[in-house]
Amino acid sequence: MKDKVSAEIVEKWLKGWCLSREVPFPVSYTSGFYVMVGDEKQKERFIFPELNDDFFQLANSIDEPWIYLKVSISPEEFINKIPERWKLQPQGYMMTCFHPMNFPKISLAEGYHLEFSEYNTTFVVRITAENGEQASIGRVSLTDDMAVYDRIITERNHQRKGLATFLLKELEKIALSKGVTNNLLVATEEGKLLYETLGWKLYCLHTSIVIPSED
């Protein structure tokens, strides 16, 4: 894990995230970045590559629900220094893979098939079951020299069949076909274990807090 987090890397990941989610690109905000998301339970997000006074000033001034603050550091370093109205979210992990992924020999499980779609510079791979049910889905957004992977999901009743690994392999094929070999994503705790087996490395923590609504 890097001691000093690059604002450039964080911004490139964030641009890919915005492409995937079809929201406006990030803009600079003091020492970090701001995105107008516009979702009911994520109105806005502020992202900081490092913990500093800019982060603490926002944490003290915001009391509106569903505005996220995100910072590339462990929550233990700030959680007791901010108002109690802020609630810690599940830990995220920003990861990099600046070379082709290390895939095992794998084929698509029997009874499943692939579907492909795209929008802007985001490519979507979907795996569906014989009954038409979505089993797994993921996206890769190409921005600058980065492939940013987002929303890699396998439905619970289709897990343990290698679908996520096969899906990632198909997404990487698309990125490589466009000449992009640098990969970025933010993983959950569970996803981090899979990505590590494929050659990804932890770049930094991605810690989120939000004020939930009372209803």
Side-chain angles (χ1 to χ4, degrees):
M1 191 164 68
K2 297 292 183 184
D3 292 331
K4 176 140 180 84
V5 176
S6 163
E8 182 182 12
I9 292 288
V10 173
E11 184 178 19
K12 286 182 177 182
W13 166 78
L14 190 54
K15 286 172 70 175
W17 186 93
C18 290
L19 285 168
S20 172
R21 310 290 173 127
E22 297 184 274
V23 300
F25 268 175
V27 296
S28 296
Y29 180 88
T30 60
S31 59
F33 305 100
Y34 167 80
V35 175
M36 169 58 76
V37 181
D39 287 347
E40 182 181 353
K41 293 198 172 180
Q42 184 170 183
K43 298 173 183 176
E44 307 165 57
R45 54 167 44 193
F46 295 86
I47 301 93
F48 293 91
E50 61 180 3
L51 185 67
N52 57 27
D53 287 344
D54 299 331
F55 178 89
F56 285 112
Q57 285 174 8
L58 274 176
N60 286 314
S61 65
I62 294 172
D63 54 20
E64 184 180 345
W66 305 122
I67 296 174
Y68 280 75
L69 299 187
K70 296 169 177 283
V71 62
S72 303
I73 204 161
S74 167
E76 286 77 18
E77 299 197 39
F78 68 84
I79 200 66
N80 292 325
K81 302 174 185 176
I82 60 174
E84 291 185 1
R85 59 181 177 269
W86 291 97
K87 302 303 176 188
L88 190 62
Q89 301 302 290
Q91 185 64 59
Y93 302 88
M94 187 171 288
M95 304 185 74
T96 59
C97 184
F98 294 154
H99 55 75
M101 291 183 231
N102 304 322
F103 287 105
K105 288 184 178 180
I106 188 171
S107 56
L108 186 58
E110 188 175 350
Y112 293 91
H113 70 272
L114 292 171
E115 296 178 359
F116 299 88
S117 60
E118 62 182 274
Y119 53 92
N120 52 58
T121 58
T122 297
F123 299 85
V124 184
V125 176
R126 181 181 287 104
I127 299 176
T128 56
E130 288 180 321
N131 63 359
E133 181 179 74
Q134 178 176 293
S136 188
I137 189 171
R139 298 158 183 81
V140 62
S141 296
L142 306 182
T143 175
D144 301 321
D145 59 342
M146 291 288 178
V148 178
Y149 295 74
D150 187 41
R151 290 183 285 177
I152 312 295
I153 299 166
T154 301
E155 303 300 333
R156 189 164 299 279
N157 57 327
H158 296 281
Q159 292 178 358
R160 309 287 180 204
K161 298 179 181 180
L163 297 184
T165 300
F166 193 87
L167 182 88
L168 283 161
K169 188 174 184 179
E170 292 298 316
L171 288 170
E172 186 191 48
K173 280 184 188 176
I174 296 169
L176 291 174
S177 75
K178 307 295 184 182
V180 181
T181 58
N182 296 322
N183 305 303
L184 271 172
L185 58 75
V186 167
T188 61
E189 188 82 46
E190 184 179 15
K192 175 175 175 285
L193 299 175
L194 168 63
Y195 301 127
E196 286 174 338
T197 68
L198 302 179
W200 290 74
K201 303 293 185 185
L202 177 62
Y203 181 71
C204 64
L205 296 178
H206 185 74
T207 302
S208 301
I209 57 173
V210 70
I211 302 169
S213 58
E214 295 181 0
D215 54 5

